[in-house]
Amino acid sequence: MGAAPPNPRKKVTLGTLRSLHRRREPITVMTAHDFPSGLVADHAGMDMVLVGDSLAMVALGMEDTSEVLLEEMLLHCRSVARAVKSAFTVGDLPMGTYEIAPEQGLATAIRFIKEGRVQSVKLEGGREMAPTIRKITTAGIPVLGHVGLTPQRQNALGGFRVQGKTRDGAMRILEDALAIQDAGCYAMVLEAVPADVAALITEKLSVPTIGIGAGAGTSGQVLVQTDMTGNFPPGRFLPKFVKQYGNVWGEAMRAIEAYRDEVKSGQYPAQEHTYPAAKEEIEAFKQAIKGL
């Protein structure tokens, strides 16, 4: 599938992530949803690659993350896992596959490790999810937590709204974070939390926080690859926290429109894009089909 990275890296492990955290070196996290997006994230040097349930929208055209199914997530996890050789891989447990009971969460997590071929799982929720997290981590499966804005529960939260803007709201997020840390999470995503609140919560924890819309005071950052590379048509809504680093859509449009125009005009394929055959063989073929 192409050349190996010019400077191959050692495999990122939980030990690597803990070392980065101890040194206060920011942890880089990027989503991926298929082999090509996993490959580029890994080649670009991400510490962690997350197969997020955001693939529901960016890869499957769904309205929100609650629509994606377990089998769909496992399919995409396998695709990304085939590409990623160095980064630490995480699979997002979809809504409805872990909330009923800790045993359900463990059964789903086992499938992600065995069938999805990822190294850890992510699930949303705070104190109420601590028993499930403890059940999964006790079985030897690393868990990345997720507190603050939890998109799978956006209907209960009144939509995609910033969390922790009041003293009481911030305290609830801290209590959730401490609960899932105590349950065994090796790190947690803090989403859509005021920067000052996220920084204070990060200082109170002994495990890394991965921010998304949570300012620079977290232990690392995560973005959806499709958003930050600009791989979407003009006019699409982007959250405030997204910085667009590229224009993949524009470059793809330029290339595809040029292909269309060259096919229509007969410029493509040119001689250098075709395979030759000996003239005598072509002549013999002409003679052979004359009577057909």
Side-chain angles (χ1 to χ4, degrees), residues 150 153 174:
T150 47
R153 306 174 182 203
L174 175 59

Side-chain angles (χ1 to χ4, degrees), residues 81-267:
R82 293 185 192 109
V84 177
K85 304 302 180 186
S86 298
F88 191 76
T89 54
V90 188
D92 217 346
L93 304 190
M95 181 182 183
T97 66
Y98 62 92
E99 300 93 336
I100 294 173
E103 290 75 17
Q104 183 203 26
L106 175 57
T108 302
I110 289 171
R111 291 195 66 186
F112 267 70
I113 302 300
K114 288 180 66 66
E115 300 175 39
R117 306 306 300 156
V118 291
Q119 295 167 273
S120 71
V121 298
K122 182 175 84 66
L123 59 81
E124 297 181 7
R127 285 157 289 181
E128 75 286 357
M129 283 295 115
T132 297
I133 292 167
R134 187 171 289 109
K135 186 81 171 177
I136 296 171
T137 57
T138 300
I141 298 174
V143 175
L144 176 66
H146 187 151
V147 296
L149 172 61
T150 47
Q152 292 179 6
R153 306 174 182 203
Q154 53 104 359
N155 291 324
L157 297 174
F160 295 96
R161 304 175 62 161
V162 177
Q163 304 295 302
K165 295 178 72 172
T166 64
R167 174 195 175 278
D168 291 346
M171 187 61 71
R172 283 193 295 272
I173 296 174
L174 175 59
E175 290 168 353
D176 282 339
L178 289 169
I180 65 173
Q181 173 182 268
D182 292 345
C185 283
Y186 66 86
M188 66 189 72
V189 172
L190 275 179
E191 181 168 359
V193 175
D196 291 340
V197 171
L200 289 167
I201 290 173
T202 298
E203 288 301 317
K204 289 293 182 182
L205 299 175
S206 59
V207 300
T209 57
I210 307 299
I212 179 167
T218 54
S219 313
Q221 300 292 329
V222 60
L223 280 178
V224 173
Q225 186 176 150
T226 302
D227 291 345
M228 58 84 62
T229 58
N231 194 7
F232 50 83
R236 178 170 174 259
F237 170 77
L238 282 181
K240 179 181 180 180
F241 56 77
V242 173
K243 179 176 179 179
Q244 188 176 327
Y245 287 83
N247 186 12
V248 171
W249 175 274
E251 179 59 18
M253 282 290 288
R254 183 204 63 77
I256 294 169
E257 287 174 345
Y259 163 73
R260 177 202 63 201
D261 292 345
E262 289 199 1
V263 170
K264 293 288 189 182
S265 67
Q267 289 177 266

Side-chain angles (χ1 to χ4, degrees), residues 36-47:
S37 58
L39 198 63
V40 71
D42 198 39
H43 278 232
M46 290 295 106
D47 298 313

